[in-house]
Amino acid sequence: MNLLSTLRARMGGFAGKSIFSLLVKVSGAFAGYLFFLVFANRLGAEEFGLFAFALSIANFAMLAAGFGQPMLMLRNMTYALADKDMAMGRGVLRFGLRATVLGALTGVVGIAIFGLIAPLLGAPSGLGLYAAAMGLLVPLVAA
């Protein structure tokens, strides 16, 4: 047995999948760190502050848009798979898609309303800033 087949056999088990999952998470965090490092160097202090403000708005909206739906889907999908009930599994996936779309739309509307009343609250004004936050919300909810 050569080294490649041994490595392939070991990576197919639980430990290998766990290591692969860890590598994906670490590389994603590192890529995010590099993204912010480059962004901070390219933008000035004020522009980066506005970007960070838009990103924080999108993160808060993402939390509200989730509705606790990922844990609910995980639990219900586990039940469907244990019972070998494919109809229930498809229903869980359809519900998850609807909840995600509804949550994203609710977040976009909420950000738009906040953009309209932001100057009254002392927050930065500018429709482009809040449109950027809306654009950031959709991938955050989808992830």
Side-chain angles (χ1 to χ4, degrees):
M1 197 179 244
N2 64 15
L3 180 64
L4 184 60
S5 61
T6 304
L7 184 61
R8 191 175 296 152
R10 289 184 189 250
M11 291 303 279
F14 177 74
K17 290 177 183 176
S18 297
I19 290 170
F20 182 73
S21 176
L22 176 68
L23 289 175
V24 167
K25 288 184 183 283
V26 168
S27 63
F30 184 69
Y33 176 75
L34 286 179
F35 170 76
F36 275 97
L37 188 66
V38 169
F39 229 58
N41 284 333
R42 295 280 181 186
L43 298 175
E46 184 176 339
E47 289 86 9
F48 185 74
L50 290 174
F51 168 74
F53 181 71
L55 187 61
S56 67
I57 290 172
N59 277 321
F60 279 114
M62 181 211 44
L63 289 173
F67 299 126
Q69 180 254 344
M71 291 301 292
L72 179 67
M73 278 198 55
L74 180 64
R75 187 186 69 206
N76 288 337
M77 188 56 90
T78 303
Y79 291 150
L81 291 174
D83 294 341
K84 294 184 178 21
D85 186 356
M86 293 302 135
M88 182 180 171
R90 284 191 293 276
V92 168
L93 292 176
R94 279 193 298 272
F95 170 78
L97 178 63
R98 281 190 221 124
T100 300
V101 169
L102 178 65
L105 289 175
T106 303
V108 166
V109 169
I111 291 172
I113 291 170
F114 182 75
L116 293 174
I117 64 171
L120 302 173
L121 301 173
S125 61
L127 187 58
L129 174 66
Y130 298 102
M134 287 183 242
L136 288 169
L137 175 66
V138 176
L140 286 173
V141 170

